Amino acid sequence: MSHTAHIPSHRKPRQRASKSALRAGVAGGVLSTIAVAGAAGPAQAEPVTQTIEMPTITTGLSTAVAASAQATQQVALDLETRAYEDAAAESAAKKAKKAQAEAVRKAEAKKKAEAKAKAEAAERAERASRTAERTTLSAPAASSSGNSSSASAPSSSSSAATGSAAAIVAFAKAQVGDAYVSGGTGPNAWDCSGLVQAAYRTVGVDLPRVSQSQSTAGTPVSLDNLQPGDILYWGGAGSAYHVAIYVGGGEFVGAQNSSTGTVQRSLDYDRPTGAVRVL
């Protein structure tokens, strides 16, 4: 065989274009059908193993943190406000208590001042009453005597005190200059009956405490026949409002009032109503 003889080719013959297109169409249709079937298949497909990363949520968290901080700040402000209110209430209570105490103190001071003024007014009224009564009583005494001897000093005014009477007179004179205090019984302040009682106590004689009882504690004597140590009284016997001790020489010693204190005076200074003798 000649080397130039025709040798058939082993390559496959070319397919026609129409056949190739047909095959491509069929393959595409099959693949599409498989894809649709897979999409419509049950949920029990193979689990997805790929992890999908979610985006980080920062806006909501920031808002929550801001709201929490605002709420905490509001609570702190409320607590601070309540503390201020409590402090103000406590301060107001203290001021009210102090004001009440001051009002009580002023009321007590006013009450004491009123009591003092009332006592002074009563004392002035007593002195005025004593003066008026002395004037009233002295007029009948002068007219009943028929002479001027009743207005003169008692005949015994020059008599010297002796024995117990001398001790009583000495005690009374020693208290001249002491203060007058209502209810006073010594040793440096007296009222009228307190002084008389203390003077008689020096000789062992216990007299009643008040002037009304002292005016009837002994034997009544005339003012014309007085002796040292006799008790003088002003007012009625048994209702006397003042007493003193006759010390001789036409004079007496008595705790008169808060203005004069304990004094030695002439009978003419404040002439007594009557007298009693105890010794």
Side-chain angles (χ1 to χ4, degrees):
M1 180 178 294
S2 174
H3 67 276
T4 59
H6 179 73
I7 301 174
S9 174
H10 295 286
R11 293 183 299 179
K12 292 180 178 181
R14 293 182 177 178
Q15 297 178 354
R16 292 181 180 180
S18 59
K19 291 182 178 181
S20 298
L22 177 61
R23 291 176 179 176
V26 172
V30 172
L31 292 175
S32 299
T33 301
I34 294 172
V36 170
Q44 287 79 10
E46 293 184 2
V48 178
T49 59
Q50 183 180 2
T51 301
I52 301 175
E53 184 178 356
M54 299 297 291
T56 303
I57 302 175
T58 58
T59 303
L61 180 60
S62 299
T63 303
V65 171
S68 177
Q70 184 177 3
T72 302
Q73 185 178 9
Q74 183 62 42
V75 170
L77 289 175
D78 291 343
L79 292 175
E80 185 177 1
T81 301
R82 181 175 298 177
Y84 282 135
E85 291 176 351
D86 292 343
E90 184 178 359
S91 177
K94 288 182 179 179
K95 290 181 179 179
K97 186 176 181 180
K98 183 177 180 181
Q100 183 179 7
E102 181 67 14
V104 171
R105 185 191 66 79
K106 289 182 178 179
E108 290 179 350
K110 182 179 180 181
K111 186 176 180 180
K112 289 181 180 179
E114 291 176 349
K116 182 178 179 181
K118 185 177 181 180
E120 291 177 350
E123 185 178 339
R124 289 193 296 270
E126 181 182 348
R127 287 201 301 267
S129 176
R130 188 182 303 172
T131 301
E133 186 170 354
R134 182 181 68 239
T135 303
T136 302
L137 293 173
S138 62
S143 61
S144 63
S145 62
N147 52 54
S148 60
S149 60
S150 61
S152 61
S155 59
S156 60
S157 61
S158 60
S159 302
T162 59
S164 297
I168 293 172
V169 170
F171 179 87
K173 287 184 176 182
Q175 312 315 311
V176 172
D178 285 353
Y180 173 92
V181 175
S182 179
T185 57
N188 299 312
W190 313 88
D191 64 10
C192 62
S193 56
L195 176 62
V196 172
Q197 184 185 50
Y200 271 84
R201 188 173 291 154
T202 62
V203 296
V205 177
D206 190 13
L207 291 178
R209 173 64 182 86
V210 296
S211 58
Q212 292 90 337
S213 299
Q214 289 177 2
S215 65
T216 59
T219 302
V221 295
S222 170
L223 295 180
D224 295 330
N225 192 31
L226 293 175
Q227 292 181 3
D230 288 346
I231 299 175
L232 306 176
Y233 63 85
W234 285 256
S239 59
Y241 57 82
H242 184 63
V243 289
I245 296 173
Y246 181 66
V247 296
E251 296 184 339
F252 68 88
V253 171
Q256 292 299 99
N257 52 61
S258 57
S259 299
T260 62
T262 302
V263 296
Q264 181 172 342
R265 293 285 191 268
S266 168
L267 292 177
D268 293 334
Y269 169 79
D270 190 6
R271 192 164 184 82
T273 304
V276 292
R277 185 168 298 155
V278 177
L279 301 177

